[in-house]
Amino acid sequence: MSAPKYLIDTNVFIKLEDAAAVSPEFALLLQLTARHGIGVFIHEAAVDDISRDQNFERRRISLSKLEKFQKLSRVRGLDRSALEARFGRLQKPNDIVDATLLHALHIGVADFLVTEDQGLHDRARKYAADLVGRVLYVADAVSLLRTTYEPLTVSIPFVEEVDAHSIPLTEPIFTSLREGYPEFDDWWRTNCVKGLRKCWVVMADGEVSGLVVRKTEEEGHTDAKLPGRKILKICTFKVRSEQRGIKLGELLLKQILWFAQTNGFDLTYVTTFSTQSTLIDLITYYGFKNTYTNMRGELVYEKSLYRTPLGEPADGNLFDAARLNYPRFYAGEDVTAFGIPIREPFHEVLFPELAERQQGDLFEFGGYRAPNRSGNTIRKVYLCRAPVSIEPPGAILFFYKGKSHKLPSQAITTVGIFENMSLAHSTEELRRLAGGRSVYSSQQLDAFGASEQRPVKVLNFLLVGHINPPISLPDLLSMQVFSHHPPQSIVRFDRKKLIPILEKIRNFGFHILV
């Protein structure tokens, strides 16, 4: 298997090479790529970016530093009109550079593009959905490199619920909060410490890497504009700069939404400045809407939560309905559903939170109290060679863990919502298609042996929740979901088999009405 190629955007190059101190996550990106022999490239188009710098001396120094990196050359004959046909309207010179970088991913000369440019991420999502998983923030690139090449040294992050007063103000995560809010320390002591507010934290190396401070509000005593009697305000949603990316933010957002939906909140909202583009991109993907701008110039994003059945969307797009209404999903008469058998080693890799889940929670869809541990992402990828093709987007997936040494064994444990499926005809293609969602090590990817003759299916899905207790094989047999033996490959469930599963998980506390 050849080493992957990581293409870095100009904004990453500048952070690595300017006169200021290098941020830890940027330094770690270079450490990991160097340690594992992974190529880091600059595109020739980056020269165009730097050449537009009006500061002659700074431009001269930056251009000289480009020589430290391997370069990807331009594609001959690739002009603006061709790029616009593939990647949308290009109004500014920088837009042309962005589209050129995406084109390098499109043709396969680069495996991943690392950029902090929110506009580039937005362009990929809008015009190149097939590339989105390969356009990474620096923190996500670091996470992917660790997962792929250093699986034994990476601990899965878990969310802990703590009291605000238990977090010392000396924590580094508070530094940047003070920069944007000089009165932060007073606010923290007065509102969070004295108010005994609850927080969710993610720890790394003994320090807080991610923090959410929550507050319960009522109608008439809230800054939210959308209707709701019980309201969950997210007072603080912060990820340390060296951990910033999709995965850790997605972990915390999953905690917020699972908790809010299960505990009967009608609405949740957060305020943020427009500069927090990564957070805004994340929450709008899952249905938050900007309702107004407050007196401090903060954008207020709100998301309504319902406990009534999710109706069929007018446009028929069941996957978009699932992500915008997450964690609810459509389970109407015409929805399709599939059972996906998964062996214990891959079950533990894909759902690490279940490997060590503490027994006692009624249902780990947020729980009736905040769970001590949770998985790391909402968006996940599953690899298989099943002959069945799953369709359409929005189909319900039930993951069946086969006979295993650790409990649960021979049971449906997890519910997901299907996004899309593609075929990988080589290990290199498998690595690209698995993209930033991958939880598989380099050895595991290699072991699949993807080839033209034996392609591997790459299945993208949203994690909706874990069933606790899982639906055991005896129950599945008595419910006639399985006839005699559990399936050895992906199987489609007709409505007759789907209904008892939906009724079972609803009775277990699954707060999605069907």
Side-chain angles (χ1 to χ4, degrees):
M1 179 175 67
S2 61
K5 299 180 183 68
Y6 278 65
L7 176 61
I8 61 173
D9 195 2
T10 311
N11 53 67
V12 178
F13 163 77
I14 291 173
K15 285 277 190 176
L16 289 169
E17 297 296 334
D18 65 13
V22 178
S23 299
E25 73 277 18
F26 286 78
L28 192 53
L29 174 67
L30 289 189
Q31 289 175 20
L32 290 169
T33 52
R35 183 183 304 160
H36 299 290
I38 294 165
V40 178
F41 290 77
I42 287 285
H43 202 283
E44 276 190 343
V47 178
D48 299 339
D49 256 354
I50 294 171
S51 296
R52 286 190 290 272
D53 190 343
Q54 298 301 309
N55 186 313
F56 173 79
E57 183 61 17
R58 185 173 59 198
R59 182 173 73 240
R60 183 186 67 82
I61 293 172
S62 295
L63 289 172
S64 70
K65 290 180 177 180
L66 282 176
E67 299 304 317
K68 295 167 59 176
F69 294 89
Q70 302 176 77
K71 290 189 180 64
L72 294 181
S73 58
R74 291 182 174 86
V75 175
R76 294 182 181 181
L78 181 65
D79 57 16
R80 179 173 183 159
S81 61
L83 288 171
E84 283 191 328
R86 179 67 175 84
F87 301 110
R89 188 178 179 187
L90 308 175
Q91 296 179 303
K92 300 177 293 185
N94 187 60
D95 293 339
I96 297 175
V97 175
D98 290 352
T100 302
L101 300 182
L102 289 174
H103 184 265
L105 285 190
H106 173 63
I107 64 176
V109 69
D111 295 288
F112 298 99
L113 169 60
V114 185
T115 179
E116 296 291 283
D117 184 349
Q118 185 62 47
L120 206 163
H121 283 273
D122 291 341
R123 184 178 296 276
R125 187 174 62 252
K126 186 174 181 179
Y127 296 106
D130 56 318
L131 303 179
V132 168
R134 295 161 59 195
V135 182
L136 310 175
Y137 294 97
V138 171
D140 291 331
V142 168
S143 176
L144 178 61
L145 288 164
R146 280 175 156 168
T147 298
T148 305
Y149 297 100
E150 300 186 337
L152 297 180
T153 63
V154 180
S155 59
I156 300 298
F158 295 111
V159 174
E160 298 177 60
E161 183 182 78
V162 301
D163 295 312
H165 71 264
S166 69
I167 308 173
L169 275 168
T170 54
E171 279 285 346
I173 197 169
F174 292 134
T175 302
S176 61
L177 288 170
R178 294 187 183 97
E179 294 172 356
Y181 185 26
E183 302 85 7
F184 174 79
D185 284 10
D186 290 337
W187 173 83
W188 181 262
R189 294 189 185 99
T190 303
N191 294 279
C192 299
V193 173
K194 289 186 179 180
L196 295 175
R197 288 188 182 171
K198 295 293 185 181
C199 306
W200 288 303
V201 298
V202 177
M203 305 296 294
D205 300 322
E207 295 180 336
V208 177
S209 288
L211 169 68
V212 166
V213 181
R214 75 176 192 258
K215 176 189 176 187
T216 299
E217 297 180 338
E218 297 177 350
E219 190 175 27
H221 302 278
T222 178
D223 292 327
K225 298 299 184 184
L226 296 180
R229 293 185 177 181
K230 187 178 180 182
I231 301 166
L232 182 66
K233 179 179 181 180
I234 306 305
C235 309
T236 302
F237 191 134
K238 180 66 178 176
V239 175
R240 281 181 62 179
S241 61
E242 59 266 35
Q243 299 290 337
R244 187 176 296 135
I246 292 297
K247 288 191 175 181
L248 188 51
E250 199 170 80
L251 164 64
L252 290 168
L253 181 61
K254 183 176 74 173
Q255 177 66 51
I256 292 166
L257 295 180
W258 284 18
F259 176 86
Q261 185 74 47
T262 300
N263 287 281
F265 285 88
D266 303 304
L267 178 71
T268 182
Y269 76 104
V270 62
T271 61
T272 183
F273 289 105
S274 60
T275 53
Q276 302 299 314
S277 55
T278 303
L279 174 60
I280 292 172
D281 183 54
L282 175 64
I283 62 178
T284 53
Y285 185 82
Y286 289 103
F288 283 76
K289 296 180 180 179
N290 179 210
T291 52
Y292 73 103
T293 302
N294 66 20
M295 296 294 291
R296 295 185 64 234
E298 294 174 304
L299 303 175
V300 180
Y301 281 86
E302 305 182 40
K303 178 182 172 74
S304 295
L305 303 164
Y306 302 96
R307 289 176 297 282
T308 55
L310 180 62
E312 183 177 6
D315 63 0
N317 192 321
L318 301 186
F319 176 78
D320 279 352
R323 68 173 177 84
L324 292 172
N325 291 278
Y326 187 86
R328 296 194 306 154
F329 59 89
Y330 176 69
E333 289 290 333
D334 53 342
V335 74
T336 57
F338 297 84
I340 301 180
I342 179 171
R343 293 186 288 115
E344 182 176 34
F346 292 105
H347 189 277
E348 294 200 351
V349 167
L350 198 57
F351 309 119
E353 63 273 28
L354 291 186
E356 301 180 21
R357 180 171 63 182
Q358 300 295 315
Q359 298 299 316
D361 290 340
L362 178 62
F363 178 74
E364 199 168 0
F365 174 68
Y368 285 103
R369 60 183 185 278
N372 292 324
R373 295 184 170 183
S374 189
N376 55 346
T377 58
I378 297 172
R379 287 173 280 190
K380 290 181 177 288
V381 60
Y382 173 69
L383 308 179
C384 68
R385 279 199 171 90
V388 175
S389 291
I390 296 179
E391 57 181 3
I396 307 172
L397 309 179
F398 296 99
F399 288 86
Y400 174 83
K401 184 183 177 188
K403 192 170 185 179
S404 55
H405 297 289
K406 297 180 182 179
L407 295 177
S409 176
Q410 294 184 291
I412 290 180
T413 65
T414 302
V415 184
I417 298 298
F418 173 67
E419 180 179 359
N420 58 50
M421 178 181 282
S422 52
L423 291 177
H425 298 87
S426 67
T427 301
E428 288 74 18
E429 189 176 12
L430 180 60
R431 182 175 55 229
R432 293 172 189 156
L433 290 174
R437 304 186 190 185
S438 178
V439 294
Y440 302 94
S441 70
S442 179
Q443 292 79 6
Q444 287 172 324
L445 292 175
D446 197 32
F448 276 97
S451 66
E452 288 291 338
Q453 295 73 31
R454 300 187 70 241
V456 175
K457 287 184 176 177
V458 180
L459 190 159
N460 289 303
F461 68 99
L462 300 181
L463 170 62
V464 171
H466 303 300
I467 305 167
N468 194 9
I471 307 178
S472 66
L473 178 58
D475 281 345
L476 292 166
L477 291 171
S478 67
M479 293 156 53
Q480 298 184 347
V481 174
F482 297 155
S483 300
H484 300 288
H485 303 287
Q488 301 301 305
S489 186
I490 296 176
V491 60
R492 180 167 179 164
F493 292 147
D494 59 25
R495 193 70 187 176
K496 183 179 179 181
K497 294 181 178 180
L498 175 59
I499 288 176
I501 300 176
L502 294 175
E503 290 178 348
K504 191 81 167 179
I505 63 177
R506 180 175 56 191
N507 292 336
F508 284 169
F510 202 94
H511 284 216
I512 296 175
L513 303 182
V514 294

Short mmCIF file of all heavy atoms in Angstrom, two decimals, residues 318 330-338 390-398 417-418 492-495 498:
data_model
loop_
_atom_site.label_atom_id
_atom_site.label_comp_id
_atom_site.label_asym_id
_atom_site.label_seq_id
_atom_site.Cartn_x
_atom_site.Cartn_y
_atom_site.Cartn_z
N LEU A 318 -35.07 11.64 2.72
CA LEU A 318 -35.16 11.13 4.08
C LEU A 318 -33.86 11.34 4.85
O LEU A 318 -33.88 11.52 6.07
CB LEU A 318 -35.52 9.64 4.06
CG LEU A 318 -36.84 9.27 3.38
CD1 LEU A 318 -37.13 7.79 3.57
CD2 LEU A 318 -37.98 10.11 3.92
N TYR A 330 -37.25 9.48 10.15
CA TYR A 330 -38.53 9.06 9.58
C TYR A 330 -38.63 7.54 9.57
O TYR A 330 -37.71 6.85 9.15
CB TYR A 330 -38.66 9.60 8.16
CG TYR A 330 -39.91 9.15 7.43
CD1 TYR A 330 -41.17 9.61 7.83
CD2 TYR A 330 -39.83 8.28 6.35
CE1 TYR A 330 -42.31 9.21 7.16
CE2 TYR A 330 -40.97 7.87 5.68
CZ TYR A 330 -42.21 8.34 6.08
OH TYR A 330 -43.35 7.94 5.43
N ALA A 331 -39.76 7.04 10.05
CA ALA A 331 -39.97 5.59 10.10
C ALA A 331 -41.37 5.25 9.59
O ALA A 331 -42.05 4.38 10.13
CB ALA A 331 -39.77 5.06 11.52
N GLY A 332 -41.81 5.95 8.55
CA GLY A 332 -43.15 5.75 8.02
C GLY A 332 -43.29 4.48 7.20
O GLY A 332 -42.37 3.67 7.08
N GLU A 333 -44.46 4.35 6.60
CA GLU A 333 -44.83 3.12 5.91
C GLU A 333 -43.87 2.76 4.77
O GLU A 333 -43.63 1.59 4.50
CB GLU A 333 -46.26 3.25 5.35
CG GLU A 333 -47.35 3.24 6.41
CD GLU A 333 -47.50 1.87 7.06
OE1 GLU A 333 -47.17 0.86 6.40
OE2 GLU A 333 -47.95 1.81 8.21
N ASP A 334 -43.34 3.78 4.11
CA ASP A 334 -42.53 3.51 2.92
C ASP A 334 -41.03 3.49 3.18
O ASP A 334 -40.24 3.38 2.25
CB ASP A 334 -42.84 4.56 1.85
CG ASP A 334 -42.67 5.98 2.38
OD1 ASP A 334 -42.67 6.14 3.61
OD2 ASP A 334 -42.58 6.91 1.56
N VAL A 335 -40.61 3.58 4.44
CA VAL A 335 -39.19 3.57 4.73
C VAL A 335 -38.62 2.16 4.58
O VAL A 335 -39.32 1.17 4.83
CB VAL A 335 -38.92 4.12 6.15
CG1 VAL A 335 -39.31 3.10 7.22
CG2 VAL A 335 -37.45 4.51 6.31
N THR A 336 -37.38 2.06 4.15
CA THR A 336 -36.72 0.76 4.08
C THR A 336 -35.81 0.59 5.28
O THR A 336 -35.36 1.56 5.88
CB THR A 336 -35.90 0.61 2.79
OG1 THR A 336 -34.95 1.68 2.72
CG2 THR A 336 -36.80 0.69 1.57
N ALA A 337 -35.54 -0.67 5.63
CA ALA A 337 -34.70 -0.97 6.80
C ALA A 337 -33.85 -2.20 6.52
O ALA A 337 -34.27 -3.10 5.77
CB ALA A 337 -35.57 -1.18 8.04
N PHE A 338 -32.68 -2.23 7.13
CA PHE A 338 -31.73 -3.32 6.90
C PHE A 338 -31.09 -3.76 8.21
O PHE A 338 -30.85 -2.95 9.11
CB PHE A 338 -30.63 -2.87 5.93
CG PHE A 338 -31.12 -2.52 4.56
CD1 PHE A 338 -31.63 -1.26 4.29
CD2 PHE A 338 -31.10 -3.46 3.53
CE1 PHE A 338 -32.09 -0.92 3.02
CE2 PHE A 338 -31.56 -3.13 2.27
CZ PHE A 338 -32.06 -1.86 2.01
N ILE A 390 -27.70 -1.14 -0.39
CA ILE A 390 -28.62 -0.42 0.47
C ILE A 390 -29.08 0.85 -0.23
O ILE A 390 -28.27 1.58 -0.80
CB ILE A 390 -27.94 -0.07 1.81
CG1 ILE A 390 -27.60 -1.36 2.57
CG2 ILE A 390 -28.83 0.83 2.65
CD1 ILE A 390 -26.90 -1.12 3.88
N GLU A 391 -30.37 1.09 -0.18
CA GLU A 391 -30.94 2.30 -0.73
C GLU A 391 -32.36 2.45 -0.19
O GLU A 391 -32.97 1.46 0.27
CB GLU A 391 -30.96 2.26 -2.27
CG GLU A 391 -31.71 1.08 -2.85
CD GLU A 391 -31.66 1.07 -4.39
OE1 GLU A 391 -31.01 1.95 -4.96
OE2 GLU A 391 -32.31 0.20 -4.96
N PRO A 392 -32.89 3.66 -0.20
CA PRO A 392 -32.28 4.94 -0.57
C PRO A 392 -31.65 5.59 0.64
O PRO A 392 -31.76 5.06 1.76
CB PRO A 392 -33.48 5.74 -1.06
CG PRO A 392 -34.58 5.29 -0.14
CD PRO A 392 -34.32 3.81 0.10
N PRO A 393 -31.03 6.77 0.48
CA PRO A 393 -30.56 7.52 1.65
C PRO A 393 -31.73 7.77 2.60
O PRO A 393 -32.83 8.10 2.18
CB PRO A 393 -30.06 8.84 1.03
CG PRO A 393 -29.66 8.46 -0.36
CD PRO A 393 -30.66 7.43 -0.80
N GLY A 394 -31.47 7.58 3.88
CA GLY A 394 -32.52 7.70 4.88
C GLY A 394 -33.04 6.36 5.35
O GLY A 394 -33.86 6.31 6.29
N ALA A 395 -32.57 5.27 4.75
CA ALA A 395 -32.97 3.93 5.22
C ALA A 395 -32.46 3.72 6.65
O ALA A 395 -31.42 4.24 7.04
CB ALA A 395 -32.39 2.87 4.29
N ILE A 396 -33.21 2.95 7.42
CA ILE A 396 -32.85 2.67 8.81
C ILE A 396 -31.92 1.46 8.85
O ILE A 396 -32.19 0.44 8.21
CB ILE A 396 -34.09 2.41 9.67
CG1 ILE A 396 -35.11 3.54 9.52
CG2 ILE A 396 -33.71 2.25 11.14
CD1 ILE A 396 -36.44 3.26 10.19
N LEU A 397 -30.84 1.55 9.62
CA LEU A 397 -29.88 0.47 9.76
C LEU A 397 -29.89 -0.05 11.19
O LEU A 397 -29.80 0.72 12.15
CB LEU A 397 -28.47 0.97 9.41
CG LEU A 397 -28.29 1.71 8.07
CD1 LEU A 397 -26.85 2.15 7.91
CD2 LEU A 397 -28.74 0.83 6.91
N PHE A 398 -29.97 -1.37 11.33
CA PHE A 398 -29.89 -2.00 12.64
C PHE A 398 -28.65 -2.89 12.66
O PHE A 398 -28.55 -3.85 11.89
CB PHE A 398 -31.15 -2.84 12.92
CG PHE A 398 -32.41 -2.03 13.00
CD1 PHE A 398 -33.27 -1.94 11.90
CD2 PHE A 398 -32.74 -1.34 14.15
CE1 PHE A 398 -34.43 -1.19 11.96
CE2 PHE A 398 -33.91 -0.59 14.22
CZ PHE A 398 -34.75 -0.51 13.12
N ILE A 417 -28.72 5.72 10.41
CA ILE A 417 -29.46 6.18 9.23
C ILE A 417 -28.49 6.21 8.06
O ILE A 417 -27.46 6.88 8.11
CB ILE A 417 -30.09 7.56 9.44
CG1 ILE A 417 -31.10 7.51 10.59
CG2 ILE A 417 -30.76 8.05 8.17
CD1 ILE A 417 -32.27 6.57 10.35
N PHE A 418 -28.85 5.51 7.00
CA PHE A 418 -27.99 5.37 5.83
C PHE A 418 -27.86 6.69 5.06
O PHE A 418 -28.84 7.39 4.83
CB PHE A 418 -28.57 4.29 4.92
CG PHE A 418 -27.88 4.14 3.60
CD1 PHE A 418 -26.58 3.67 3.52
CD2 PHE A 418 -28.54 4.48 2.42
CE1 PHE A 418 -25.95 3.53 2.29
CE2 PHE A 418 -27.92 4.35 1.19
CZ PHE A 418 -26.61 3.87 1.13
N ARG A 492 -32.47 -7.25 4.19
CA ARG A 492 -33.51 -6.22 4.21
C ARG A 492 -34.67 -6.69 5.06
O ARG A 492 -35.12 -7.84 4.97
CB ARG A 492 -33.98 -5.92 2.78
CG ARG A 492 -35.07 -4.87 2.71
CD ARG A 492 -35.28 -4.38 1.30
NE ARG A 492 -36.34 -3.39 1.22
CZ ARG A 492 -36.54 -2.57 0.21
NH1 ARG A 492 -35.74 -2.63 -0.84
NH2 ARG A 492 -37.52 -1.70 0.22
N PHE A 493 -35.20 -5.79 5.91
CA PHE A 493 -36.35 -6.09 6.74
C PHE A 493 -37.61 -5.52 6.07
O PHE A 493 -37.66 -4.32 5.77
CB PHE A 493 -36.22 -5.45 8.13
CG PHE A 493 -35.14 -6.06 8.98
CD1 PHE A 493 -34.44 -5.28 9.88
CD2 PHE A 493 -34.83 -7.40 8.89
CE1 PHE A 493 -33.45 -5.81 10.68
CE2 PHE A 493 -33.83 -7.96 9.69
CZ PHE A 493 -33.14 -7.16 10.59
N ASP A 494 -38.60 -6.36 5.84
CA ASP A 494 -39.86 -5.84 5.34
C ASP A 494 -40.63 -5.20 6.50
O ASP A 494 -40.21 -5.25 7.66
CB ASP A 494 -40.69 -6.93 4.66
CG ASP A 494 -41.00 -8.10 5.57
OD1 ASP A 494 -41.03 -7.92 6.82
OD2 ASP A 494 -41.22 -9.21 5.06
N ARG A 495 -41.76 -4.60 6.21
CA ARG A 495 -42.51 -3.86 7.23
C ARG A 495 -42.95 -4.76 8.37
O ARG A 495 -42.96 -4.35 9.55
CB ARG A 495 -43.73 -3.20 6.59
CG ARG A 495 -44.41 -2.16 7.48
CD ARG A 495 -43.55 -0.94 7.65
NE ARG A 495 -44.10 0.00 8.62
CZ ARG A 495 -43.48 1.11 9.01
NH1 ARG A 495 -42.29 1.40 8.50
NH2 ARG A 495 -44.03 1.93 9.89
N LEU A 498 -40.01 -5.03 10.57
CA LEU A 498 -39.56 -3.75 11.10
C LEU A 498 -40.41 -3.28 12.27
O LEU A 498 -39.89 -2.76 13.26
CB LEU A 498 -39.57 -2.70 9.98
CG LEU A 498 -39.24 -1.26 10.38
CD1 LEU A 498 -37.85 -1.18 11.01
CD2 LEU A 498 -39.35 -0.33 9.18
#
